[in-house]
Amino acid sequence: MAKKAAISGTVRVRLVKGLRGVQARHRLSVKALGLNKTNDVRELKDSPQVRGLINTVYYLVRVEE
């Protein structure tokens, strides 16, 4: 069972696919989210900017609630 975020207004993002063969802009978006390697997880403030980055690289990341 997954733990809920301790602070509301946050979103957990996991990089589930490697960056090889991905567009340079998408690599930069993943870097902006703070993800470096496959299976890295970051807990970020839920904001329109973060949601936009997630939507850009939706096929590379998984949002965990």
Side-chain angles (χ1 to χ4, degrees):
M1 180 185 292
K3 290 169 85 176
K4 291 284 181 181
I7 303 170
S8 61
T10 62
V11 62
R12 289 179 56 130
V13 182
R14 179 184 298 267
L15 183 63
V16 295
K17 188 177 176 193
L19 299 178
R20 189 166 185 172
V22 175
Q23 293 179 17
R25 283 185 71 161
H26 292 191
R27 265 187 250 119
L28 290 174
S29 295
V30 169
K31 196 71 158 172
L33 289 169
L35 303 169
N36 298 315
K37 297 180 182 179
T38 306
N39 287 324
D40 269 359
V41 178
R42 293 287 180 260
E43 193 162 332
L44 304 165
K45 181 180 166 197
D46 193 7
S47 67
Q49 292 84 3
V50 170
R51 287 292 178 169
L53 288 170
I54 292 170
N55 287 337
T56 301
V57 293
Y58 67 92
Y59 62 98
L60 298 172
V61 299
R62 184 173 68 212
V63 177
E64 301 174 350
E65 298 298 331

